[in-house]
Amino acid sequence: RSSAQSLLRLLGFVFLGTAAAQALGGVLVILMFKNYGYVFQESYLSLPGWLAIAAALILLPTGVMAGSISIKSSRYQQGTFMYLLLLLLCLEVSSAVLACVYSIRMASQLESAMGYLIYQHNGSCSQDPGSRAVDVMQRKLQCCGVHNYTDWLKATTTSWHLPAHVPESCCKEKYSHCRGHLSHLEQLSQEGCLKKLEDQLCFVMLYVFWCCTVLSILELLAGVSNGILMKHQPFHDFRIL
């Protein structure tokens, strides 16, 4: 019993500490799909992030309750704690599975989605949302084209395209006078956006996946510890039955 109380107290502190890490993972997922919404067009792709944030919010009272139960056991607190752990387990597992599935699914769709946006690009001064999204992506990731800058040379059907010229969003930040001319390759980002976006997607989704997986295991340990304490404290209030 004393070991179960010590473990539950420790897990209570762990839950409180990892709530911030869990919330961070959820925010990263949501921001990523918000910043690159025209590449990740399905709105439900941010669902793992929202589930992670919901789990982080529930982790706070769960951690406090775990510490309280380890000091003074209460049947009502122990029952509520079990329900919270069950709810957390459902959220964590759902978030982990969705993060894994979406990362695999989006990795296979990124290249075609980015290629289509580049093909439809109408110039750096265009007010078209898709064109603006490409420019924002290239500036944020410091990249150019899908695989490299030569992808822009293949987009010959765009009305703005001129020989030896790419969008100004391909320019490196330190060259303020850059206009996207290929005669000054040193002023342009050489890497393509596909690999950078894939790496970012993989990092964010793996972060959420492992965070949820580790927390699920810890929640199972907390449930076992709480069950041991409940076993040593029978329902005295219902002896009359």
Side-chain angles (χ1 to χ4, degrees), residues 166-226:
V166 296
E168 293 180 15
S169 56
C170 286
C171 297
K172 296 178 180 178
E173 290 182 349
K174 61 182 178 180
Y175 296 106
S176 58
H177 59 281
C178 173
R179 292 297 177 267
H181 296 289
L182 293 182
S183 56
H184 302 285
L185 280 177
E186 73 281 355
Q187 299 179 359
L188 304 176
S189 300
Q190 301 295 313
E191 293 183 75
C193 297
L194 178 61
K195 187 177 186 307
K196 286 194 171 185
L197 197 55
E198 281 180 341
D199 291 343
Q200 191 170 334
L201 173 68
C202 183
F203 170 78
V204 170
M205 288 303 191
L206 277 179
Y207 179 91
V208 172
F209 174 81
W210 284 113
C211 206
C212 292
T213 301
V214 171
L215 279 170
S216 297
I217 296 172
L218 295 178
E219 286 154 13
L220 288 174
L221 288 175
V224 172
S225 301
N226 189 43

Side-chain angles (χ1 to χ4, degrees), residues 53-120:
I53 290 179
L57 294 175
I58 299 175
L59 271 175
L60 294 175
T62 305
V64 173
M65 194 168 290
S68 175
I69 292 172
S70 65
I71 297 173
K72 184 179 179 181
S73 297
S74 167
R75 243 350 189 183
Y76 302 107
Q77 285 186 341
Q78 288 173 333
T80 304
F81 184 67
M82 279 298 196
Y83 282 116
L84 288 176
L85 287 178
L86 182 61
L87 178 59
L88 276 172
L89 196 60
C90 293
L91 289 173
E92 303 283 6
V93 172
S94 299
S95 184
V97 171
L98 289 176
C100 184
V101 171
Y102 288 171
S103 61
I104 296 173
R105 178 178 176 180
M106 289 312 303
S108 63
Q109 297 179 359
L110 272 178
E111 185 172 4
S112 59
M114 292 173 65
Y116 176 78
L117 287 175
I118 286 178
Y119 183 81
Q120 296 294 324

